Amino acid sequence: MLGKVLAVRTVRLIATLFAVSLLTFLLVEQLPGDPILAILPPGGLDDLETIERIRKELRLDDPVLTRYFRWAGDALQGDLGKSYITDQPVSDAIKDRIPVTMELALLATLIAAFLAIPIGAISAYREGGYFDRTMSAFTTAALSIPGFLAGIFFIWLFTLKFNWLPSTGWNRITDKGLLANLQTAILPAGALALAPLAINARLIRADMIGTLKEDYILSAKAKGLRDRYILMRHALRPSSLTAITVFALQLGGLIGGTVVIETVFALPGLGTRLISGIYQRDVVMIQGITLFIATVYVVVNALVDLLYAALDPRIRRQ
Amino acid sequence: MNEATTTARDEPLLSVQDLRTHFSINAGLLKAVDGVTFDLQAGQTLGIVGESGSGKTVLSRSIMRLNLGNNVETSGKALFGGKDLLRLPMGQMTDIWGQEIAMVFQDPMTSLNPVVKIGRQVSEHVRKHLAVSKREARGLAVELLKSVRIPEAEVAIDSFPHELSGGMRQRVSIAIALACGPKLLFADEPTTALDVTVQHQILNLLGLQQSERDMAMVLVTHDLGVVAGRTDEIIVMYAGKIVEQSRTRQIFQNTSHPYTEALLRSIPKTDQPSHTRLAAIAGRPPNLITMPSGCSFSPRCPYAQERCFEEEPPLTVTKEGHATACWYQVGTEANRAAWDKNLAAGRPATLAVAEGQVIDEVPLDIGAGGA
């Protein structure tokens, strides 16, 4: 039973990845401008012979689909090609940059989850109360402010005003230790966390208001259990399915979505590498990083399905 | 339950005095419970009977302080062991809930948490109230499930509610309610959501557990057949008020209120030929916001006279402990005169009873076979 479910989901995952990779390849292919022009030395634009030679060398004269399957085949073996411009293998660039992006995304998700659960739960428990109304105003504000503005605000507050934290740069854990690392990570992660925090606090609140009207909450109360225990042990899990879905989508989204924040805080992450690739018309780099981000997104989503089963035993049987 | 336990004790376990529960809703003030008084001795069983909307569930939830929402106003007294539950701080209520007073809810499909294992649901409040260890709690959960006759209790504690049948789930609910050895158990329509074949098992289980533990029980139901033979005393409620209250045998032998009589008439009997039309009570329960003046049952009553529409009959003790709120009690001369008068005048509610048929909603030509 479980095996069949897993098989179906794996097939679906592979199909999705195929579609994603094809779209990535074709879309980047459609970008205006010939990548070869970006590679040529200054003044080489008229040298048609050289252009043709490079095109042959890079086998760019093959039909699109041929090139796609060659690229996809290599990608399956972990080879995403080499940058035309820096000659750096794309997989090396990803390996080099991903820890920063991944840490930002995870830290942002953690902050969001850690705050959204109590905010949502207490708001639902005291629906319409002072806390609920304050948090409703806060979440509205957090949702309407773009992440980069929040980032700039954080820099103004924590760097310029209080001078507690550095505004830009990145300390690697391996070089400077966890504390120094967190000092550089906390502001961008906090800016990234705002929107997911607000969305999830609202989702948990809404779901929980519904859950708290369920009979089993009343029966838990009639057993003499304390409200806090009922909220955390009986109400939270049935109220978190929507939030978990969105959390996972956000985590996937964050890995691709740190681009702007990485730029604001000048962090050496995947996002800044993608941006520089776009500026340089580094087609191979763009394709590789985009495919990587998309794959992470799709895989995270597949994992969410499995997480459902862990949260709600009734799903395990279907 | 049985004669041995019916000896009256001095101090009642639960003494409810002039309990009123009113909900403020948009349409007005809804008087769900309106002046209910009764005593319950330790170890005894009280049946509360009435149609949907008669206030019986709200009554039991009011005593337990389980009416949630901020539009509820409860007044009166509910003395339990000398303490007025209605005035107790909520912090003290959590010590009474589960431990002193417990409740079995109507629908076992919704009253168990779908994502928490049975074992935990059966024992979590025991751990809180009686401070037992996790391992002891597990053993206790198994014991409890065995005591409510759940097969393979060791397996059942690790299952989830959806893996059990409705009857088994209600057994789990009973085990939960019994876990801390409460002195008083509210069973709110404990069998309504279950198959007929399972209903008897559950009721017998409740009765057995009750007499074994010498626990008092309030059995709330719409079905007089459920309380017959299982309760010491019965309260019949209509529109938030008690209309008849007596020892169980008295209710059945000397039925005094027309509403009780109508409820009894509506129980299908097995000796009737099949396809006999069910005797329903004509009309609907009154709107609790705009109550009729006089007796609230008067619009549906076959015996109603002018006085009934104008003056509300008080609950008066007519025989030894038998209280009825009616001007023309069943079995009296006045009642027979009222019947004849209404029949002659062609009062629809009277004719409906006389014909043994419902004129209100069902057309007469359907299902008239048999009798």
Side-chain angles (χ1 to χ4, degrees):
Chain A
M1 195 61 205
L2 188 68
K4 197 183 156 199
V5 171
L6 279 179
V8 169
R9 287 195 178 152
T10 311
V11 170
R12 206 186 291 163
L13 182 68
I14 291 169
T16 313
L17 284 176
F18 171 71
V20 162
S21 63
L22 186 62
L23 273 174
T24 307
F25 189 85
L26 293 180
L27 281 174
V28 175
E29 191 74 17
Q30 290 307 310
L31 284 180
D34 191 336
I36 294 176
L37 301 185
I39 306 171
L40 285 173
L45 291 182
D46 302 327
D47 190 352
L48 291 180
E49 210 170 292
T50 314
I51 290 176
E52 273 319 298
R53 186 175 50 80
I54 296 176
R55 204 185 290 283
K56 275 251 157 53
E57 255 175 38
L58 297 175
R59 294 158 81 184
L60 286 174
D61 49 352
D62 288 346
V64 168
L65 279 182
T66 315
R67 279 186 287 131
Y68 165 71
F69 281 109
R70 190 161 60 224
W71 175 72
D74 288 347
L76 276 181
Q77 296 160 42
D79 179 9
L80 288 166
K82 273 185 189 173
S83 162
Y84 295 154
I85 291 153
T86 61
D87 228 25
Q88 185 191 26
V90 175
S91 47
D92 282 5
I94 291 176
K95 243 178 268 169
D96 189 38
R97 299 295 189 112
I98 192 64
V100 176
T101 301
M102 201 64 111
E103 185 183 339
L104 280 182
L106 282 175
L107 196 59
T109 307
L110 266 180
I111 293 172
F114 197 73
L115 293 175
I117 290 170
I119 289 177
I122 298 171
S123 297
Y125 177 61
R126 296 255 180 258
E127 186 190 350
Y130 180 72
F131 183 85
D132 186 22
R133 279 176 286 140
T134 311
M135 281 306 141
S136 163
F138 163 73
T139 50
T140 308
L143 278 175
S144 32
I145 297 169
F148 71 90
L149 264 187
I152 292 168
F153 172 72
F154 283 175
I155 291 175
W156 171 78
L157 189 69
F158 294 105
T159 306
L160 299 181
K161 267 268 179 225
F162 298 125
N163 201 18
W164 287 345
L165 295 164
S167 63
T168 52
W170 186 258
N171 296 330
R172 286 178 185 266
I173 301 183
T174 43
D175 294 346
K176 307 235 171 107
L178 182 64
L179 194 69
N181 168 259
L182 282 180
Q183 277 178 351
T184 52
I186 194 77
L187 286 189
L192 275 174
L194 272 182
L197 161 63
I199 292 170
N200 285 299
R202 288 192 163 193
L203 286 174
I204 290 171
R205 174 187 178 273
D207 275 10
M208 198 148 212
I209 285 173
T211 307
L212 288 178
K213 294 195 171 89
E214 295 283 348
D215 279 359
Y216 57 81
I217 298 299
L218 191 68
S219 61
K221 210 170 162 59
K223 284 155 83 173
L225 300 173
R226 308 242 172 241
D227 285 355
R228 196 190 307 162
Y229 180 92
I230 295 175
L231 274 183
M232 288 301 143
R233 286 289 185 162
H234 284 270
L236 184 60
R237 237 164 74 160
S239 315
S240 55
L241 280 183
T242 325
I244 292 281
T245 315
V246 175
F247 261 127
L249 291 174
Q250 285 164 343
L251 180 62
L254 276 176
I255 289 170
T258 56
V259 175
V260 176
I261 289 292
E262 281 177 20
T263 309
V264 169
F265 287 90
L267 303 178
L270 211 52
T272 39
R273 188 66 189 87
L274 183 62
I275 295 275
S276 68
I278 292 171
Y279 284 147
Q280 297 167 347
R281 291 237 176 74
D282 194 342
V283 176
V284 181
M285 191 59 78
I286 303 172
Q287 281 169 337
I289 292 179
T290 312
L291 178 68
F292 176 79
I293 290 171
T295 306
V296 170
Y297 192 79
V298 171
V299 171
V300 166
N301 268 298
L303 290 177
V304 177
D305 284 352
L306 300 179
L307 203 62
Y308 280 159
L311 276 172
D312 191 335
R314 287 170 298 182
I315 294 173
R316 276 174 224 166
R317 288 182 130 194
Q318 289 162 11
Chain B
M1 191 74 212
N2 51 49
E3 293 303 318
T5 58
T6 56
T7 45
R9 295 165 208 191
D10 297 330
E11 187 78 7
L13 177 72
L14 175 70
S15 177
V16 175
Q17 293 161 18
D18 197 31
L19 185 85
R20 288 165 204 273
T21 304
H22 297 174
F23 295 87
S24 333
I25 57 174
N26 287 338
L29 193 66
L30 191 150
K31 300 176 177 177
V33 176
D34 204 20
V36 166
T37 300
F38 67 86
D39 283 352
L40 178 62
Q41 307 292 335
Q44 299 262 300
T45 306
L46 172 73
I48 300 182
V49 186
E51 280 169 290
S52 311
S54 61
K56 53 195 194 305
T57 295
V58 174
L59 171 62
S60 49
R61 289 194 181 177
S62 299
I63 298 167
M64 275 191 86
R65 298 270 296 278
L66 282 175
N67 285 315
L68 306 178
N70 43 20
N71 59 343
V72 196
E73 183 98 32
T74 306
S75 66
K77 279 185 182 164
L79 300 172
F80 177 80
K83 282 177 283 192
D84 186 357
L85 296 178
L86 302 185
R87 269 157 204 82
L88 224 50
M90 271 303 176
Q92 289 185 38
M93 277 313 292
T94 55
D95 290 334
I96 286 181
W97 282 328
Q99 199 170 4
E100 306 264 334
I101 308 178
M103 186 176 251
V104 176
F105 289 83
Q106 175 169 346
D107 190 352
M109 299 297 166
T110 58
S111 63
L112 296 176
N113 192 327
V115 301
V116 179
K117 282 183 182 170
I118 298 293
R120 180 185 198 100
Q121 300 202 49
V122 171
S123 62
E124 59 185 344
H125 53 313
V126 185
R127 290 189 61 194
K128 184 226 156 193
H129 287 306
L130 307 177
V132 297
S133 73
K134 207 167 181 173
R135 176 188 292 240
E136 285 172 310
R138 199 177 159 86
L140 190 86
V142 173
E143 282 309 307
L144 279 161
L145 292 183
K146 279 183 178 161
S147 75
V148 294
R149 313 279 185 279
I150 287 185
E152 298 181 63
E154 291 86 354
V155 180
I157 56 169
D158 286 321
S159 46
F160 289 98
H162 69 274
E163 295 168 315
L164 303 180
S165 69
M168 284 300 146
R169 289 193 215 185
Q170 195 60 305
R171 284 168 193 267
V172 171
S173 301
I174 293 171
I176 290 172
L178 297 176
C180 295
K183 296 191 188 98
L184 172 59
L185 178 71
F186 283 93
D188 184 5
E189 303 246 15
T191 59
T192 307
L194 302 177
D195 280 350
V196 187
T197 48
V198 183
Q199 287 187 4
H200 269 276
Q201 298 168 9
I202 295 292
L203 288 168
N204 291 342
L205 174 69
L206 275 173
L208 184 76
Q209 291 290 335
Q210 187 209 0
S211 53
E212 265 179 19
R213 292 161 188 264
D214 196 28
M215 171 179 74
M217 181 160 79
V218 175
L219 188 57
V220 177
T221 177
H222 62 274
D223 186 353
L224 266 175
V226 162
V227 290
R230 297 184 196 276
T231 55
D232 298 296
E233 198 163 316
I234 289 179
I235 286 174
V236 181
M237 283 188 74
Y238 189 78
K241 292 196 171 80
I242 294 178
V243 293
E244 187 163 3
Q245 174 176 17
S246 183
R247 304 211 62 80
T248 302
R249 185 185 302 228
Q250 285 292 315
I251 291 273
F252 286 94
Q253 286 179 351
N254 297 318
T255 310
S256 299
H257 199 281
Y259 178 60
T260 318
E261 189 193 39
L263 282 178
L264 281 171
R265 204 186 296 122
S266 64
I267 300 176
K269 294 174 189 62
T270 46
D271 55 359
Q272 284 169 341
S274 53
H275 301 295
T276 302
R277 185 190 295 277
L278 286 173
I281 304 174
R284 295 174 191 288
N287 182 333
L288 293 175
I289 296 164
T290 51
M291 292 276 277
S293 58
C295 173
S296 51
F297 187 58
S298 57
R300 306 167 76 188
C301 180
Y303 313 111
Q305 301 295 303
E306 243 168 77
R307 187 183 190 186
C308 303
F309 298 110
E310 288 157 6
E311 227 180 310
E312 191 182 342
L315 190 67
T316 47
V317 182
T318 48
K319 296 165 197 123
E320 174 78 49
H322 194 140
T324 312
C326 180
W327 298 121
Y328 300 90
Q329 290 179 15
V330 177
T332 59
E333 268 316 310
N335 176 274
R336 267 185 288 280
W339 170 263
D340 291 339
K341 196 175 156 197
N342 281 352
L343 204 55
R347 178 174 161 78
T350 316
L351 289 176
V353 175
E355 290 166 18
Q357 285 169 339
V358 192
I359 57 161
D360 193 38
E361 278 145 327
V362 188
L364 285 173
D365 56 330
I366 301 175

